[in-house]
Amino acid sequence: MSADNSYHEPLESALKHALTYLDQLENTSVSAQASLDELRTRLSRPLVEEGTNAQQIIDELVSDTSGGLLGTMSGRFFGWVVGGSLPAALAADWLTSTWDQNAALYACSPAEAVIEEICGAWLKDLLGLPSEASFGLVTGCQMAHVTCLSAARNAILSDLGWDVERQGLNGSPPIKVLTSDQHHASVNRAIRILGLGTDCLISLPTNENGQLSPLALEEALKKYSPDPLIVVLHAGDLNIGAYDSFKELIPMAHSHNAWVHVDGAFGLWAAASAKYRHFLEGVEMANSWATDGHKWLNVPYDCGYAFVRNSKAHYNAMALKASYLVHDNNARDQFNWNPEWSRRGRGVATYAAIRELGRRGVSSLVERCCQYAHDLVTQIGALPGVSILWEPQINQGLLRFHDPKSMASEADHDDYTDEVISDILQSGEAFFGGTTWRNKRCMRVSVCSWRTTDDDIARVVSAVGEIISSKRKAFSEK
Ligand SMILES: Cc1ncc(COP(=O)(O)O)c(C=O)c1O
């Protein structure tokens, strides 16, 4: 085969397999049914001396991974906080691979540099963030935290005359990071990566709505000032989608010169909806914001966004110079704003997703997901032996399943909840994850996919109903 047409067969084969995969989602298990051993046996082919035909590789990839993929593209996937992929975003992502540009700087791919510029402006507009904020497109919210907190570290130490980029952290004024006890583990890891160490992280109590207590924050700010301070607030915490009170907490933190960073991995997207925007009142006063594209915007993995009000601090923390690079002073070099050098043109899928949905489409996606989360939680919660631990205020809710045996303890309900989750996964009809919230095991319900429909909700409620009633029947017949 000549180099000219050597792509045809594998790409045509990939297209055929991709369409078959997508077309069959309705009839395919949303949980992985193949065992670890099976997958290892199928995939651990010998390392060949001579190469293999490209189309054969693609065909075998499909058969070898069969049953080992989760139905994250299906409308019945409610695990973690996982979005699907919009058609234009998926197709644009294929083109991104086909073009194989290095989206490090304008000179490496002029079109992709411009696409990212436009994505930044659109995203700030959709999310209600200040138009002057700088931004970076990164792999996910984890790296958005790293990027934003690098800028924070730069700014709060430079205010004290310490140049962290040159002097590092040895001997620097000690930074404290104040946040709620519901913070995501990616915040801890960002702090570790930045060399701050998790000893500097102070977890403060939350109220019954999962919001950081203003009193606790005020006390901590007083206790640790005048040390350089970062406050991490939440726009949608991982279990219940709680929003801290930005309006109250941000001015409080600023009065102690603290940098305020917002973890808005999914919850920042409520800004796109007139119905849910009120949760974010005051969020625009923060210093930096982290969110994802691969969750609620429904672009393929991996895609996150970092925004920083103080663009100078952001630039100082990330920018690079090297003699062999070519710069155009009028253009935006992406690598000055994110932690990678060579990188995928991940702006392309974001650009396509936002164009496909438009402002109204993003708003409708957010509102649909919130409505479906509410429907799922209240309808499953109305089944016998189920209690609602958190009725969704956005797209996240929590359910607990009760062990029918008499005198069942909380520990029995914990085990029973895990058992029901496992039975649901086994059925292949829906995917939910578990979590421990306020010392109780529960099933997390997270709706994030553009594909979820009324029919999906009805199908899942009925499937869960059948599982619960057959478990209760089996118990009563014992
Ligand atoms: C609240 C919150 N913050 C941060 C993250 C990390 O995001 P990512 O996995 O995109 O790095 C998550 C992931 O689910 C999250 O829910």
Side-chain angles (χ1 to χ4, degrees), residues 171-191:
S172 76
I175 294 176
K176 289 278 179 303
V177 179
L178 311 178
T179 189
S180 90
D181 55 12
Q182 298 301 305
H183 66 272
H184 192 265
S186 55
V187 173
N188 297 50
R189 187 158 60 180
I191 285 167

Side-chain angles (χ1 to χ4, degrees), residues 27-350:
N27 309 315
T28 309
S29 167
V30 273
S31 60
Q33 304 283 341
S35 70
L36 176 63
D37 281 348
E38 255 174 281
L39 291 169
R40 281 191 175 141
T41 308
R42 284 194 229 142
L43 287 157
S44 59
R45 294 170 181 276
L47 174 59
V48 289
E49 287 305 320
E50 304 298 334
T52 308
N53 170 273
Q55 186 185 346
Q56 181 190 338
I57 296 166
I58 298 303
D59 292 341
E60 287 172 355
L61 253 182
V62 172
S63 51
D64 291 353
T65 54
S66 164
L69 302 173
L70 300 189
T72 49
M73 287 289 270
S74 145
R76 289 172 290 116
F77 194 91
F78 309 114
W80 303 289
V81 186
V82 168
S85 286
L86 287 155
L90 173 58
D93 200 56
W94 284 13
L95 279 180
T96 307
S97 293
T98 307
W99 295 335
D100 194 24
Q101 306 283 284
N102 183 349
L105 63 168
Y106 175 77
C108 293
S109 179
E112 289 192 355
V114 173
I115 283 175
E116 283 199 30
E117 261 174 40
I118 291 159
C119 286
W122 283 350
L123 288 165
K124 284 183 280 180
D125 189 343
L126 282 167
L127 299 172
L129 303 180
S131 58
E132 72 276 13
S134 50
F135 64 90
L137 271 62
V138 292
T139 50
C141 197
Q142 169 72 77
M143 289 313 288
H145 289 329
V146 170
T147 306
C148 292
L149 296 180
S150 301
R153 186 180 69 164
N154 176 290
I156 57 177
L157 289 178
S158 96
D159 284 350
L160 299 173
W162 188 271
D163 179 354
V164 71
E165 310 308 327
R166 193 172 51 79
Q167 296 171 276
L169 286 171
N170 279 340
S172 76
I175 294 176
K176 289 278 179 303
V177 179
L178 311 178
T179 189
S180 90
D181 55 12
Q182 298 301 305
H183 66 272
H184 192 265
S186 55
V187 173
N188 297 50
R189 187 158 60 180
I191 285 167
R192 283 161 49 203
I193 292 171
L194 291 174
L196 299 172
T198 48
D199 280 354
C200 83
L201 187 74
I202 317 290
S203 289
L204 301 168
T206 41
N207 66 18
E208 70 284 1
N209 294 321
Q211 299 169 299
L212 176 56
S213 149
L215 198 64
L217 181 63
E218 178 78 77
E219 277 173 10
L221 287 164
K222 282 192 187 135
K223 178 170 174 193
Y224 295 108
S225 306
D227 284 351
L229 299 176
I230 297 172
V231 173
V232 178
L233 300 181
H234 290 88
D237 86 303
L238 75 148
N239 281 318
I240 61 170
Y243 288 81
D244 289 327
S245 170
F246 305 113
K247 204 172 51 162
E248 186 177 3
L249 301 186
I250 296 177
M252 186 192 284
H254 283 166
S255 71
H256 292 269
N257 294 324
W259 176 289
V260 179
H261 172 66
V262 175
D263 180 348
F266 54 94
L268 211 52
W269 288 91
S273 151
K275 188 166 171 197
Y276 294 98
R277 194 172 291 149
H278 63 94
F279 287 120
L280 290 158
E281 195 183 346
V283 79
E284 70 287 348
M285 291 187 282
N287 301 86
S288 58
W289 306 262
T291 191
D292 271 314
H294 53 222
K295 291 188 170 67
W296 227 342
L297 185 60
N298 279 249
V299 304
Y301 288 99
D302 42 26
C303 186
Y305 315 117
F307 304 92
V308 181
R309 177 189 296 282
N310 178 345
S311 58
K312 186 162 165 274
H314 185 180
Y315 182 87
N316 287 343
M318 288 292 144
L320 294 164
K321 286 270 177 286
S323 58
Y324 70 95
L325 298 174
V326 184
H327 304 286
D328 180 326
N329 289 336
N330 293 317
R332 179 180 184 274
D333 286 330
Q334 300 96 307
F335 80 169
N336 286 329
W337 306 100
N338 58 59
E340 303 123 354
W341 193 292
S342 298
R343 65 197 269 279
R344 180 174 183 75
R346 65 175 65 88
V348 182
T350 294

